[in-house]
Amino acid sequence: MIAKAPRKRSVPAAAPGVRYTVAVSSAHAHLFAVTLQIQQPAKNQRLSLPVWIPGSYLVREFSQNLQALSAWQNGEPVAVKQLDKHRWQAQAEAGEPLELRYEVYAFDASVRTAFLDAERGFFNATSLCLQVLGQEDQPHALEIAASDATQGWEVATGLTPSDADAKGFGHYLAQNYDELADSPVEMGRFWSARFTAGGVEHRFVVAGAGAWMDGERLIEDTRRICETQIAFWHGRDAPPFSRYVFMLYASADGYGGLEHRNSTALICQRADLPRPAAPGEKPAPLKATDGYTTLLGLISHEYFHTWNVKRLRPAEFARYDYNEENYTELLWFFEGFTSYYDDLMLRRAGLIDDATYLKLVAKTINQVQQTPGRLVQTVAQASFDAWVKYYRMNENTPNATVSYYTKGSLVALCLDLTLRTEGHSSLDAVMRELWQRTEGGPMREADLLRALKRLGQRSYEGEIAAWVHSTDELPLSSVLQGQGAKFSHDKAPLAQQLGLRVSEASGALVLKAVLRGGAAEAAGLAAGDEWLGVEFAPVKRGGAVEAWRIHKLDELPGLRARRAELTAVVSRDKRLLRLPLKWPTESHAVMLAVNDAARLATWLGDARHA
């Protein structure tokens, strides 16, 4: 059952020296109004707005949306000088309270920035709240102001309330700027429920959902995920947070999440929300292809980050620098290992069965195997290059890079199954060892190697060198079969056989990427081409050329009729090109199934098995 919301408890009011008030300036113009009060400013106080948000490794230039900045001291205007793209200096005197006012344009519905319209508001402090340089470690206060524009709205956030009303409007506290930056705020008319997991109250709010959403199922499934993960990390001990908030925005077409220390912001397609079963029927078992399975995997992923990256994190992230890129080679561990555990936790929570989980693993294997860039870039390099490659994808991305999410998850799988096969330990035990030895704090690759050596009773430097710091293939077949999975192959999708990634929207067959070494590249096809049709040479001398219009790749096999060569007719820059194409030899995709259920159970079952 869904628990009723308890009365909001207030904590004793404090008087932080840095105080922000966020209000709706104009919902239709998508403008937030921000007031910043500094009780003890420095002389010529400097301020800055972050250029990125932790967890999303791209310089996003949030300052582009800040406007109409002004400053006041003792009732008199103070000149504000812009120093660079995201820093300013108020020509103020020291010691006297300083007030700054400005607006922020907010019309990005992602989890990374800020959004505002007449139906909903959302923001991360990194998009709205200027840093007071020199006072980042001081307590900060945030007021979320109610107004006519917010009638009927509620507020959800992981921040600690100090004087908030029943709807959540009012005052909140943060220990420092980092905590403020790590606490997104959701505002609007949303569905809301609470549940308890591991002795901790969790709140789940959903904006944009239809009335048909099965909230009971969403809450129960999420509770099982949370209970499973808390038990994984702590057994029966309490987790390192006293409350947690899920903020989900359901849109027509969206997906993503961003982790925080005691909350997460999520986006899913509205169609992926659970629907109630027909009267008298039980919900159908989840399939690997179900949108709701994808949503639960996202929930599991972001919740696992509560430990793995928000607390246990790269040494380079011990103190965030919001002014520039923060580099690390360890995203394969923090994002990749989290990606390994997200679906595994669904299995251990009993939300999916063995066969479904193995299909999800096979999907990841095929994603990596179908990426030529895995032979070009190591997963450690991919981590370091996230700022300029992963978050700046183009048509050559699959040929030049590998995802630290997908390959990182397969590195975790190989380590886990190798440890289990050798009979000494498991990756579960390694993760808990790292948590305890680092006290849930910064870590380096050397810490992982030490934990592997102690628990695995031998050095794993060779595996890390081969799987992380080289482009060698991973021993997926052997480790999976050794753990009770059946490893086989099926015919690969036609796009993969040809070496293509395509879009077939609105009846137009457009090439999104041409993969290195494939038949399409050999024929001279290029990203951006619209594939209009195919031609076949006459069967008999003197016969007519056979020509066909196509709209989808799946039309090709029937037209080809086993002919080894064809001519692709494409449109490029409004020119029509005829490109001879040799039909590729058949390629294969990985399939996984249950072979030894008892053996699989030692891996997929109890999260505290080893």
Side-chain angles (χ1 to χ4, degrees), residues 80 403 445 470 489 502 591:
V80 179
S403 167
E445 185 177 300
S470 86
H489 293 89
V502 303
M591 294 181 65

Side-chain angles (χ1 to χ4, degrees), residues 555-584:
E555 297 170 356
L556 278 178
L559 297 172
R560 185 175 75 89
R562 297 187 179 180
R563 286 171 283 197
E565 296 185 4
L566 58 86
T567 298
V569 181
V570 304
S571 171
R572 183 185 302 167
D573 192 28
K574 296 189 176 182
R575 297 174 60 216
L576 293 181
L577 305 178
R578 299 172 68 253
L579 304 173
L581 172 67
K582 289 186 177 180
W583 199 258

Side-chain angles (χ1 to χ4, degrees), residues 452-474:
L452 286 168
K453 185 175 183 179
R454 194 184 81 81
L455 295 172
Q457 299 182 25
R458 69 170 178 85
S459 172
Y460 277 76
E461 290 185 4
E463 282 84 355
I464 296 299
W467 301 346
V468 173
H469 296 286
S470 86
T471 56
D472 291 354
E473 298 284 21
L474 301 174

Side-chain angles (χ1 to χ4, degrees), residues 358 480-487 592-600:
L358 291 176
L480 282 161
Q481 292 185 100
Q483 202 61 39
K486 180 181 178 181
F487 196 99
L592 294 176
V594 176
N595 184 46
D596 184 340
R599 182 72 171 156
L600 276 172

